[in-house]
Amino acid sequence: MQLTVNGTPREIDAPGDTPLLWVLRDDLGLTGTKYGCGLAQCGACSVLVDGQVMRSCVTPVEMLEGAEITTIEAIESDPVGARVVEKWVEHQVPQCGYCQSGQVVAATALLKEIPEPTEEDIRATMVNLCRCGTYNYIRAAMTDLAGREGETL
Amino acid sequence: MTGHPAALCAAELASGRPLNLSRRGFLRGALGAGAGTLILGVGLPAGPARAQAAAAAPGTNVPAFLEIRPDGTVRLLSPFVEGGQGIFTGMAQIVGEELDADPAVFTVENAPAGADYLVIGGQMRITGGSMSVRLSYPVMRRLGALARAMLIEAAAAELGVPARELSTEPGRVVHAASGRDLGYGALAGAAFDLAVPDPDSVTLKDPSAFRWIGREQPRLDVHDKSTGRAEYAIDIRVEGMLQAAVSHAPRLGLTVGTIRNREEVAALPGVAAVEVLDGAVAVLAERWWTAKRAVEALEVDWVPFDTLPEGWREMPADFSSADFAAALAASEADETEAEAEGDAPGVLAGAETVISATYHSQYLNHAQLEPPSAVARFNGDGTLDLWLPNQAPEQYQSTVAGLTGLDPAQVRIHSPMLGGFFGRHFLYPAASPYPQAIELARRAGRPVKMIWTREQEFLRDPLRPMAAVRFRGALDGDGLPLAIEAVSATEGPTEAINGRGDQVDPTALEGLTGKAYAIPTRRMAQAYVRNPAMLAYWRSVGNSMNDFFYECFLDEMAAAGGQDPFELRRHLLRDDARLSALLEAVADLSGGWKRGPYDAPDGTRRARGIGMASPFGSEAAAIAEVSIAAGRVVVHDVWEVLDPGQAVNPALVRQQVRGAAALGLSQVLMEESVWQDGAPVARNYDMYRILPPGDMPPVHVGILESGAQIGGVGEPPLPAVPPAVANAVAALTGQPVRRMPLSRMSFES
């Protein structure tokens, strides 16, 4: 089957029920998307499918024929994604960094949908887990991205 | 310092075996033809004269740590593994300060195993115990100074002037008299061929001249970590590798009896082999997903081991963590004193007011987001490359040498970035995939990458110990503490891992011991109870629970004596200038101490609590504000001040305070590894809940640089937070909180 990943059509010969996560990581060598739980609990595997955030660890690849998939590797080619990365760096968000691919993708999806999200929008959609506890920094970066005055931590 | 991770490597140090790595050989091995599509940036700086310094004291062999490229950028091999704490940036600041090179031009990678990197006391190095900066600070500064001296010497030869006429500006050597200068990049080739000068010949900078130490310096790794480019063990791929998945026996102590459908599963498309391991079955396949599906399809009859592998504990089929907690509370095991001052039993017998209470902590998982993995590759020359998440490269190297019969020099340990660690990646028996990857690579004759699923990880993750602590406190006629006694029925992680010594394991009681309060009579003792479960270090180790116990019982003593808990602490610390300043600082940060309960502008009823701790050479104090909504505790704000003596990078310190506070909140609010019928009930984040973003309050951070000896940063901010929250809840409800997590209790809103 064919997948469109980061703008490039890719021929995939993995079994159709393989989760997108493992096709990205093992077939395409795109290891920026992370495995954390395999149960759509943590969000480390988040990617964009047609601009919507999706947890790739529970998404069979056969459902995605014809869809446009964007992974963290291409996030800076998207103008919204590039802004998110810029603010992630400015606010020094990552610690271990393992969850941050998913956090950046989730933030990008939110801002593409709602350019100026409210605090409630952010609270409702930025739900990925971070064991290092970077949540205050994610919030500061998101407040900045939403165009509001906030604290630099 | 706490001795735990040091104790962990005591056995290895005792062997006294120098590691004789040939650097040129290492470089060839890492980057040679056998490496295939290896995408790691490992390898050491090339150049002659590397071998001559091989016998140099640890932390002085400049070329083993530093490479300066022609463009003036600096590559540093860090003896400490980056796992989120920002140590790469801290090391670049410390080395760069004395080298006179801007930390921003550094790229930092994890150093391989090897004697040059044993920079803690010249004997060991681990990434843990909040040791990295505090115990290597002078050594790493001196390393930078030695490199700078070599660059100056090379410049002196190049310019034909005496070295004493030369100075440096960031990245270049300057001859002021003639107005000439040379960039480090142009000098490094010649400089690093020179003999490393006598370490005592260099003078370190006066701190007043620091450009980078003590300043907020951006992290070097945030862009890579915001774009998916940072590489973790789980991302490693080597040419020709097979992927492996595993199913462990439901209880440690069982191993494979029969596999009822082995042939069937081995015949599944894409499956290369079904293998039996100690206490586990594994499947090898070209794709990990294939291996995982196949291994889960295996029908295995598990039977007890004839002989349990060394260091493993047998998990009883009827083990329950609730029953074990009750057994701890009722334990009549012999008491061993860890700290005693005065006659506690006598004072308690004669005091006007005596209160008592029993406290409990819970088992915890590390729950780092990156599941464990390992890649093993045997090479044609008899060497073994191993990529694995680890906090102690030499310990893994010597253990793997013992496991394989190889010489340690033939075992190359690669330490990629850690996707969180929190104590998870020390050497624990039965807790890591590397022995499985090695054995499978040996059998398959191909490199093997083993990844544990989250479910397998939560089955074999060794736990933060639990404890039941019986307190007694005596008060005088003014309601002030006369005596405090704590008997903790528990097992410390160090004694669980290394075996019991004749002294109390300091990691069992730290946080009950070492408190600074001027309570004249004290008795802190352990009643040792062996756990059936495997135990481990967890961020802030004994302090992670012991400060919760002590600080909450101190609030109970304050309440019994009619004292305000803040005022009581102020009184008990009145002769300790450093802690008195810290206490005032956290009160100021929170806008002045107020306990409550009081009504907040949003209509909620709130209260505040305070906790203090003295972990890992630093001092911490935290205040938390809580309310109760829908029967649950809500934490609105946390204010925390850390005094690490001196801060190398205040921005990194604040990150660590907020991160450690999050983990402390997670512990006190919701985390617990519950065991029933010999197995953990929660095997993934759906049932093992960790703090989600919605429950994270703003953490307001203060840093107090008292000038005391430099202390740790990664762990010290954690232990004060759980008691601050619990004491706030007690202030709000009028009921003491004696057990974590709070999600066990229901509250009336």
Side-chain angles (χ1 to χ4, degrees):
Chain A
M1 64 174 291
Q2 218 178 55
L3 280 188
T4 304
V5 180
N6 298 334
T8 308
R10 308 290 296 258
E11 198 56 42
I12 304 297
D13 68 352
D17 62 351
T18 308
L20 173 64
L21 171 66
W22 297 102
V23 171
L24 293 173
R25 292 180 57 83
D26 283 352
D27 291 75
L28 303 180
L30 296 172
T31 54
T33 305
K34 299 305 187 202
Y35 168 59
C37 69
L39 271 190
Q41 293 290 311
C42 73
C45 67
S46 300
V47 297
L48 298 182
V49 175
D50 296 330
Q52 303 280 314
V53 70
M54 194 167 279
R55 291 187 166 177
S56 65
C57 73
V58 292
T59 307
V61 71
E62 64 199 357
M63 288 174 54
L64 299 170
E65 185 112 46
E68 291 276 343
I69 297 156
T70 305
T71 70
I72 188 68
E73 284 84 356
I75 207 76
E76 285 179 295
S77 331
D78 180 298
V80 177
R83 269 183 66 226
V84 172
V85 170
E86 184 194 323
K87 291 298 176 188
W88 244 240
V89 171
E90 185 182 324
H91 289 273
Q92 298 276 293
V93 174
Q95 289 189 23
C96 91
Y98 196 77
C99 75
Q100 296 297 343
S101 296
Q103 305 281 6
V104 166
V105 166
T108 303
L110 170 60
L111 291 160
K112 285 167 85 78
E113 176 101 17
I114 309 174
E116 291 179 9
T118 62
E119 288 299 309
E120 197 39 53
D121 294 331
I122 294 169
R123 177 178 280 266
T125 54
M126 294 296 291
V127 294
N128 291 359
L129 298 175
C130 171
R131 188 59 160 169
C132 298
T134 63
Y135 299 134
N136 284 176
Y137 293 85
I138 291 173
R139 186 59 62 90
M142 291 306 294
T143 302
D144 190 349
L145 282 159
R148 286 190 296 278
E149 289 283 313
E151 203 183 348
T152 300
L153 300 171
Chain B
M1 61 174 271
T2 52
H4 47 91
L8 198 64
C9 60
E12 195 215 357
L13 289 174
S15 78
R17 185 165 41 191
L19 302 170
N20 189 18
L21 258 182
S22 154
R23 313 212 161 280
R24 312 273 283 160
F26 180 90
L27 188 70
R28 277 197 297 274
L31 302 177
T37 54
L38 190 63
I39 38 174
L40 271 183
V42 291
L44 287 164
R50 303 295 183 254
Q52 68 173 35
T60 63
N61 184 10
V62 170
F65 288 87
L66 284 166
E67 175 190 7
I68 302 181
R69 294 151 171 160
D71 64 359
T73 58
V74 179
R75 176 165 167 258
L76 170 68
L77 295 189
S78 168
F80 303 106
V81 181
E82 177 60 60
Q85 77 279 45
I87 195 62
F88 278 5
T89 307
M91 286 289 129
Q93 287 177 263
I94 292 166
V95 174
E97 185 68 64
E98 300 288 349
L99 172 61
D100 211 358
D102 189 332
V105 307
F106 277 61
T107 54
V108 186
E109 296 162 24
N110 290 316
D116 284 323
Y117 307 107
L118 305 181
V119 297
I120 297 182
Q123 292 192 76
M124 62 86 83
R125 52 108 178 214
I126 56 154
T127 307
S130 298
M131 292 182 188
S132 302
V133 168
R134 67 187 166 122
L135 297 184
S136 78
Y137 182 62
V139 175
M140 297 310 289
R141 283 178 67 192
R142 192 182 60 197
L143 177 79
L146 288 168
R148 177 175 172 272
M150 292 162 81
L151 290 159
I152 287 176
E153 200 182 327
E158 178 78 21
L159 297 172
V161 300
R164 66 183 143 71
E165 290 180 12
L166 297 171
S167 59
T168 58
E169 292 290 330
R172 60 204 176 96
V173 180
V174 178
H175 187 239
S178 65
R180 290 178 295 171
D181 66 1
L182 287 167
Y184 284 180
L187 288 165
F192 290 177
D193 281 346
L194 297 168
V196 177
D198 177 357
D200 295 331
S201 69
V202 290
T203 309
L204 301 184
K205 272 188 179 174
D206 187 275
S208 65
F210 283 169
R211 283 174 193 268
W212 297 294
I213 291 176
R215 306 278 174 83
E216 302 204 348
Q217 193 68 27
R219 288 180 70 122
L220 297 171
D221 53 1
V222 286
H223 189 260
D224 280 354
K225 287 177 172 178
S226 303
T227 52
R229 292 193 188 101
E231 187 171 69
Y232 305 85
I234 202 169
D235 302 326
I236 301 295
R237 168 182 288 267
V238 300
E239 193 172 281
M241 75 178 189
L242 282 167
Q243 304 225 39
V246 70
S247 272
H248 292 102
R251 298 190 306 280
L252 204 59
L254 298 179
T255 193
V256 181
T258 52
I259 305 175
R260 279 175 267 127
N261 58 348
R262 183 171 186 161
E263 301 308 315
E264 236 171 89
V265 171
L268 289 173
V271 169
V274 174
E275 297 284 353
V276 173
L277 299 168
D278 279 349
V281 287
V283 169
L284 291 168
E286 298 293 335
R287 287 195 170 87
W288 185 78
W289 185 252
T290 308
K292 186 234 182 216
R293 291 289 293 273
V295 83
E296 288 174 350
L298 289 170
E299 294 164 13
V300 184
D301 295 318
W302 302 99
V303 297
F305 270 102
D306 290 333
T307 310
L308 206 59
E310 192 183 339
W312 293 26
R313 291 180 170 189
E314 193 171 339
M315 171 54 64
D318 61 352
F319 179 74
S320 125
S321 50
D323 290 351
F324 189 65
L328 288 175
S331 169
E332 292 176 2
D334 287 347
E335 297 173 12
T336 312
E337 283 181 0
E339 184 179 303
E341 185 71 42
D343 172 22
V347 174
L348 284 158
E352 196 170 317
T353 308
V354 174
I355 65 165
S356 63
T358 298
Y359 279 69
H360 285 274
S361 63
Q362 72 277 49
Y363 282 145
L364 296 174
N365 284 124
H366 294 89
Q368 78 292 342
L369 259 283
E370 181 193 10
S373 64
V375 180
R377 182 184 67 199
F378 286 98
N379 303 303
D381 62 0
T383 59
L384 169 64
D385 280 290
L386 196 59
W387 291 262
L388 78 173
N390 79 87
Q391 301 178 236
E394 287 76 20
Q395 291 175 29
Y396 281 86
Q397 186 185 45
S398 73
T399 302
V400 170
L403 202 64
T404 55
L406 296 174
D407 189 84
Q410 294 175 292
V411 179
R412 284 187 292 264
I413 300 292
H414 305 273
S415 309
M417 204 76 94
L418 297 169
F421 55 121
F422 320 113
R424 175 66 182 87
H425 296 304
F426 286 116
L427 203 54
Y428 305 119
S432 305
Y434 73 90
Q436 301 167 341
I438 291 169
E439 177 60 18
L440 293 172
R442 194 186 62 73
R443 289 186 202 171
R446 287 172 65 178
V448 167
K449 175 179 184 176
M450 166 69 80
I451 302 173
W452 283 7
T453 60
R454 175 60 54 187
E455 288 80 6
Q456 294 301 318
E457 162 64 349
F458 276 5
L459 189 59
R460 284 290 177 269
D461 179 26
L463 304 167
R464 199 286 302 275
M466 64 161 89
V469 182
R470 300 188 288 269
F471 279 104
R472 290 195 296 163
L475 304 174
D476 68 16
D478 297 325
L480 292 169
L482 278 175
I484 183 167
E485 178 190 65
V487 177
S488 179
T490 193
E491 179 177 27
T494 302
E495 62 194 348
I497 298 159
N498 292 351
R500 254 194 115 200
D502 47 11
Q503 310 262 311
V504 172
D505 173 359
T507 63
L509 263 64
E510 59 189 356
L512 288 170
T513 57
K515 297 298 281 190
Y517 302 115
I519 299 177
T521 303
R522 303 185 296 279
R523 178 172 183 268
M524 302 296 156
Q526 179 189 16
Y528 173 81
V529 181
R530 191 176 194 272
N531 282 254
M534 302 294 288
L535 302 181
Y537 303 114
W538 192 87
R539 193 175 188 173
S540 77
V541 192
N543 292 94
S544 67
M545 58 183 180
N546 288 325
D547 287 292
F548 162 80
F549 300 137
Y550 189 108
E551 294 286 314
C552 290
F553 187 69
L554 186 63
D555 265 40
E556 286 202 56
M557 290 177 76
Q563 310 283 326
D564 175 84
F566 181 84
E567 294 302 331
L568 177 65
R569 285 173 175 81
R570 186 184 257 167
H571 174 74
L572 295 174
L573 296 171
R574 63 195 180 281
D575 295 328
D576 187 322
R578 185 181 183 191
L579 290 181
S580 293
L582 179 68
L583 191 61
E584 298 307 324
V586 75
D588 290 347
L589 187 69
S590 68
W593 169 249
K594 56 172 181 176
R595 186 173 186 234
Y598 46 85
D599 293 317
D602 67 354
T604 57
R605 187 134 181 94
R606 301 186 183 186
R608 293 186 185 182
I610 184 164
M612 299 184 80
S614 308
F616 302 84
S618 290
E619 299 289 346
I623 291 174
E625 182 181 69
V626 307
S627 69
I628 287 166
R632 295 179 62 228
V633 172
V634 177
V635 182
H636 294 276
D637 285 282
V638 171
W639 298 268
E640 180 160 19
V641 179
L642 182 73
D643 174 5
Q646 176 192 348
V648 169
N649 183 335
L652 287 176
V653 174
R654 289 198 302 273
Q655 285 184 357
Q656 288 304 294
V657 173
R658 293 193 172 95
L663 203 52
L665 289 166
S666 195
Q667 171 182 207
V668 71
L669 292 177
M670 63 193 66
E671 271 187 54
E672 178 168 24
S673 176
V674 175
W675 288 58
Q676 284 171 11
D677 301 325
V681 172
R683 298 278 297 274
N684 208 317
Y685 294 114
D686 53 346
M687 292 179 67
Y688 188 86
R689 294 188 56 229
I690 65 172
L691 192 79
D695 287 353
M696 178 77 183
V699 178
H700 313 275
V701 183
I703 302 171
L704 200 59
E705 293 188 77
S706 61
Q709 188 180 354
I710 192 165
V713 167
E715 294 165 279
L718 192 152
V721 172
V725 171
N727 285 335
V729 172
L732 190 61
T733 62
Q735 296 297 316
V737 173
R738 294 175 178 157
R739 183 187 279 272
M740 296 186 285
L742 287 161
S743 56
R744 276 172 163 262
M745 302 166 70
S746 56
F747 298 93
E748 285 177 25
S749 301

